Amino acid sequence: MLEHPQQRLFLAPETKLYRALTSGKCVDGEHVTDKAFRLRPASDQFPAETTISVALNPEKAMGDLDCKGYAEMLAGDVELIGGLTIQLKESDDPDFYEIAGIPLNDTTAQNDYAFALAKICGKAVRVKKRNQ
């Protein structure tokens, strides 16, 4: 039995995870802000987010998105945040994961998780704008 129930067996604690930074609001100087970890509400183009998407490398995290950069964090640090789990994303690509456990109907908890995730990130890595 695992000491921490949210601990995943398939990712080592030192595994690096990457989050795309899709808005200038996600970056403050070299720091990743809590805006990078806000669940996106539903729009005409997308359903509401229920998890935070991450990947095992920056290129996959950013994919085809128009990104300002990416953030790096360790799987073990994410799993130390009570209530969060890392799970394999339903995809054909085993490099895509998601951070689950953020309550959808609790704005205070969403804020707390967003700040906690931003706090464990390394420096924001900026990328040049892609040619469209």
Side-chain angles (χ1 to χ4, degrees):
M1 185 167 192
L2 296 173
E3 193 172 310
H4 299 288
Q6 75 268 22
Q7 193 172 16
R8 306 303 295 179
L9 296 175
F10 49 83
L11 281 181
E14 64 276 4
T15 302
K16 292 180 181 179
L17 298 172
Y18 300 88
R19 172 75 172 162
L21 304 175
T22 57
S23 163
K25 294 179 181 179
C26 296
V27 183
D28 181 15
E30 295 181 334
H31 301 285
V32 177
T33 72
D34 60 294
K35 304 290 189 234
F37 298 100
R38 301 288 176 167
L39 294 175
R40 183 186 63 235
S43 70
D44 293 340
Q45 296 176 321
F46 301 103
E49 277 186 322
T50 58
T51 60
I52 301 291
S53 298
V54 293
L56 294 181
N57 65 60
E59 293 77 21
K60 287 192 179 182
M62 293 185 293
D64 293 332
L65 300 170
D66 181 19
C67 295
K68 305 299 180 199
Y70 61 88
E72 178 183 300
M73 68 199 91
L74 296 177
D77 290 342
V78 172
E79 292 181 335
L80 288 176
I81 300 172
L84 296 184
T85 58
I86 301 168
Q87 58 196 30
L88 190 60
K89 192 167 192 138
E90 288 187 29
S91 162
D92 291 336
D93 192 326
D95 288 345
F96 290 115
Y97 286 83
E98 54 194 5
I99 299 170
I102 300 171
L104 303 179
N105 297 319
D106 185 341
T107 305
T108 301
Q110 289 179 23
N111 290 337
D112 290 346
Y113 280 121
F115 282 110
L117 287 165
K119 187 175 180 179
I120 64 169
C121 286
K123 292 180 180 177
V125 178
R126 293 179 181 265
V127 294
K128 294 185 180 195
K129 188 171 182 164
R130 297 180 186 182
N131 295 331
Q132 297 288 331

